[in-house]
Amino acid sequence: MDFFRSIGITEIVFQFMLVNSILGLSIYLTLYTGMFSLANAGFMAIGAYTGVILTQNFDLPLGVALIGGMILGGIIAIPIGFPVLRLKDIYLAIATIGFGEVVRILILNFDTLAESITGQEVKLTRGALGITGIPKITETWQLIVFLVVVAYFMIRLHRSRFGRAMAAIRQDEQAAANMGINVVYVKNTVFIMSAVLAAAAGVLKAHLTRTISPGDFGFDQAVSILAFAVLGGTSTWIGPIIGGFVLTALPEILRDFKQYRGIVNGSILLLVIVYLPGGLVNPAGWSRLWKRLRQSPEAGENHART
Amino acid sequence: MLELEKVTRLFGGLTALNNVNLIVPANKIVGLIGPNGAGKTTLINNISGLDHPTSGQIRLNGAEIQNAPPHRITRAGIARTYQNIRLFSDMTVLENLLIGQHGRGQATFLDSLVFTPRFRAEERDLHERAAQLLERFNLTHAANLRAGNLPYGDQRRLEMARALATNPKLVLLDEPTAGMNPIETQQLGEQIIRLQEDGLTALVIEHDMSLIHQVCDEVYVLNFGQILAHGTPDEIKRDPVVIEAYLGKDEDHGAA
């Protein structure tokens, strides 16, 4: 423990590492099914605000808030998924970024909007300043238990008929449909699962950070979530967990670099993406890199001779 | 078993299929030939639900299926292969065959989560059926190899095995022997005949006339989206209209 603390990983950093790996897993589900969705930050916002309103305005325990946030995230995903998941690749990405912005702006203006409708003063989302003074009630063990449950869920998913259908859709959607897979159903279900997981991470994270504001859940957050999964690798469920851990811990470990921290952090990410395109958890990528490093002096000689 | 009535498919101004009437009787092997661009693959796509006709009807055992989504059509008993192999190439051979059986399965993800008896019985059943198919197509040795790494001929056979995994009544084979040597073609012909022995029906798109002779009970000829001729393989071979479509008009009769 002292070692981790000495390199900058305190308990709160560890807690964020756990939350971010859950976020990485939420986008992993959609990526694994071949859907390039960036809606997760939006669902995270829905979870965070729902959770905080339930614990602060209604004095409910965190467990209830967690379930409430997950349910609301899932319900909102249903009408979003049906029209949006007809799109593919970059078009789906743009549409889901749009969804994230709509969520952010709705939360930003929620109180004003509600006031104009009800005619009474409403103080729920509290506009651009956000909600402050949230007690830090998420415990490390709760996060670990949640992550373990999600990991078990992932393992069983991959061994199931549904999980095989997900992988088939990623590789060839039309061929998957010709195998008797209901592509629309699988895609929408995965989108809902992903939303539920992102919302859960939102609830848990909101009770770590003490404050939340709409700006926390914008495009930056959507890209960070994508980075957890891409850096860790999306060939197995372990990848996004490692990605979430590394990307959260790295800035803390690099504190000694002071003002150059951003540069070092960025360079490490760049190196991983260039030399390990399949992500950190990808044995084939490591062996390819290893071969390349060992062969490079000889290759250089050959090149010089010709 | 399969009936196409006045099936027309327009792509903008292009008529890919024009009033196609075609019948595939139960337990027969029907060939579909025609020059490149005649609309053969479009026809198969329309039957298998990847594409839908602009007008006309497609009936499977009397039920209209022209507007059904592909997974429904597969579950109703139509399987297909592709002209360009479309395996799930990052998965193993075995996994490809398990996915082929998707429509037969009942177990949900929740069954898998808590290992219900239904899940375990079903997985055992799926693996047994996959093992049978592997043996039938001589792929047992390759069960755990990545499908994309198989030699070409094995990939073609795996595609056919995967189509059979869906438990079809009718199999649509889109150029099953493309790129195969004569011996492989002959062996694949035997597999097609075996389908018929097992009580299945097949519609085969093919360019290889020797294979058509080997396996087909009757043949349709498609050209510019229209059915040009229909008959037994021998009749088709002698039909002057078909010869003209493939080889062009004789110079003496050619209109300038």
Side-chain angles (χ1 to χ4, degrees):
Chain A
M1 287 306 257
D2 285 341
F3 167 72
F4 285 114
R5 212 158 283 148
S6 72
I7 60 169
I9 302 177
T10 53
E11 186 172 8
I12 181 73
V13 174
F14 184 56
Q15 287 172 330
F16 280 123
M17 285 160 67
L18 292 165
V19 167
N20 286 342
S21 61
I22 296 167
L23 285 169
L25 285 172
S26 80
I27 199 168
Y28 164 76
L29 283 172
T30 45
L31 289 173
Y32 188 80
T33 319
M35 297 186 283
F36 188 14
S37 161
L38 292 172
N40 300 53
F43 289 116
M44 192 187 162
I46 291 166
Y49 273 89
T50 312
V52 169
I53 288 167
L54 289 179
T55 55
Q56 301 313 299
N57 298 34
F58 297 93
D59 287 324
L60 291 166
L62 184 62
V64 177
L66 183 65
I67 290 164
M70 288 165 81
I71 290 173
L72 193 65
I75 287 174
I76 292 174
I78 297 169
I80 303 299
F82 268 99
V84 160
L85 296 179
R86 300 162 73 102
L87 302 170
K88 283 198 186 92
D89 306 327
I90 198 77
Y91 303 100
L92 176 60
I94 289 169
T96 47
I97 291 170
F99 163 75
E101 285 302 288
V102 169
V103 169
R104 189 177 65 82
I105 290 163
L106 270 181
I107 291 173
L108 188 66
N109 298 306
F110 185 84
D111 288 352
T112 336
L113 196 69
E115 273 166 25
S116 69
I117 294 168
T118 59
Q120 288 166 339
E121 195 183 30
V122 178
K123 273 197 183 301
L124 267 182
T125 65
R126 293 163 193 267
L129 294 175
I131 305 174
T132 51
I134 307 161
K136 184 174 168 300
I137 48 175
T138 306
E139 306 271 356
T140 308
W141 69 265
Q142 292 168 330
L143 289 167
I144 293 172
V145 168
F146 193 82
L147 186 61
V148 167
V149 169
V150 173
Y152 177 72
F153 184 92
M154 294 288 164
I155 295 169
R156 292 316 304 164
L157 189 65
H158 288 317
R159 300 272 166 82
S160 74
R161 182 168 154 265
F162 189 85
R164 287 194 294 262
M166 287 165 64
I169 290 171
R170 181 188 68 226
Q171 294 193 29
D172 189 332
E173 200 175 312
Q174 290 192 338
N178 278 147
M179 295 301 117
I181 294 168
N182 187 344
V183 174
V184 175
Y185 168 78
V186 173
K187 278 185 160 186
N188 278 283
T189 310
V190 170
F191 189 69
I192 293 165
M193 293 199 292
S194 168
V196 167
L197 209 50
V203 177
L204 295 170
K205 194 168 187 174
H207 292 91
L208 284 176
T209 50
R210 296 177 191 272
T211 67
I212 50 170
S213 64
D216 298 341
F217 307 101
F219 182 64
D220 289 359
Q221 180 64 46
V223 172
S224 301
I225 296 172
L226 180 67
F228 300 145
V230 170
L231 183 93
T234 50
S235 52
T236 69
W237 55 271
I238 303 168
I241 296 180
I242 301 296
F245 274 31
V246 170
L247 275 180
T248 317
L250 205 56
E252 301 301 325
I253 296 168
L254 297 174
R255 262 199 299 212
D256 291 344
F257 289 92
K258 298 201 174 82
Q259 68 266 44
Y260 304 109
R261 184 161 81 170
I263 297 173
V264 177
N265 194 23
S267 310
I268 291 173
L269 297 190
L270 198 63
L271 286 174
V272 171
I273 285 165
V274 170
Y275 290 104
L276 284 169
L280 287 171
V281 184
N282 178 19
W286 281 104
S287 72
R288 208 179 311 129
L289 179 65
W290 176 240
K291 273 187 203 145
R292 213 162 133 183
L293 288 174
R294 282 181 51 179
Q295 282 172 356
S296 56
E298 292 169 36
E301 272 174 41
N302 289 339
H303 189 76
R305 256 181 248 140
T306 50
Chain B
M1 165 163 260
L2 181 76
E3 279 174 79
L4 276 70
E5 194 182 320
K6 292 186 183 164
V7 170
T8 298
R9 178 69 174 110
L10 304 172
F11 291 117
L14 181 83
T15 311
L17 294 173
N18 190 359
N19 270 318
V20 171
N21 292 306
L22 183 147
I23 293 176
V24 183
N27 203 220
K28 291 275 188 258
I29 307 233
V30 176
L32 180 66
I33 63 172
N36 289 329
K40 302 183 297 290
T41 298
T42 306
L43 189 73
I44 295 249
N45 282 346
N46 276 276
I47 299 171
S48 67
L50 289 186
D51 189 16
H52 302 286
T54 313
S55 65
Q57 273 136 39
I58 302 175
R59 283 188 292 271
L60 177 69
N61 292 326
E64 288 189 15
I65 57 165
Q66 69 269 18
N67 292 318
H71 68 273
R72 286 265 164 71
I73 291 178
T74 305
R75 292 177 191 195
I78 301 183
R80 70 167 291 179
T81 65
Y82 303 88
Q83 186 177 355
N84 313 311
I85 298 174
R86 287 172 79 169
L87 291 168
F88 302 114
S89 50
D90 284 344
M91 295 190 221
T92 66
V93 169
L94 178 67
E95 283 170 326
N96 269 274
L97 294 178
L98 294 178
I99 289 168
Q101 299 180 74
H102 184 90
R104 304 197 318 132
Q106 296 291 323
T108 63
F109 165 51
L110 295 177
D111 287 314
S112 155
L113 208 58
V114 292
F115 292 93
T116 59
R118 177 163 82 158
F119 169 76
R120 278 187 277 179
E122 186 176 293
E123 285 293 305
R124 209 179 312 123
D125 179 46
L126 296 182
H127 279 86
E128 266 170 32
R129 174 104 175 97
Q132 285 168 10
L133 286 165
L134 286 172
E135 202 179 304
R136 172 166 175 178
F137 286 90
N138 269 327
L139 290 165
T140 309
H141 64 280
N144 293 314
L145 297 180
R146 210 175 139 267
N149 292 345
L150 291 184
Y152 183 82
D154 285 357
Q155 292 198 16
R156 280 259 173 234
R157 280 184 288 142
L158 175 57
E159 229 196 10
M160 197 157 147
R162 189 182 64 172
L164 290 186
T166 65
N167 208 17
K169 299 183 198 98
L170 168 69
V171 189
L172 311 170
L173 300 170
D174 195 349
E175 299 199 23
T177 67
M180 282 187 166
N181 66 36
I183 297 164
E184 287 173 326
T185 304
Q186 166 81 22
Q187 285 169 347
L188 200 107
E190 283 159 19
Q191 289 284 3
I192 297 174
I193 290 169
R194 194 170 155 192
L195 297 181
Q196 193 172 22
E197 289 166 5
D198 291 349
L200 299 182
T201 310
L203 177 65
V204 187
I205 293 184
E206 198 39 80
H207 281 304
D208 189 319
M209 282 310 285
S210 69
L211 185 90
I212 294 280
H213 260 271
Q214 186 192 350
V215 304
C216 290
D217 299 301
E218 46 186 282
V219 178
Y220 281 87
V221 184
L222 194 68
N223 195 20
F224 295 116
Q226 285 179 304
I227 295 290
L228 206 63
H230 169 219
T232 64
D234 284 320
E235 284 167 10
I236 291 297
K237 215 175 175 181
R238 287 193 301 268
D239 193 325
V241 185
V242 177
I243 295 167
E244 186 192 305
Y246 268 89
L247 302 174
K249 266 186 184 163
D250 197 313
E251 264 179 41
D252 297 340
H253 305 288

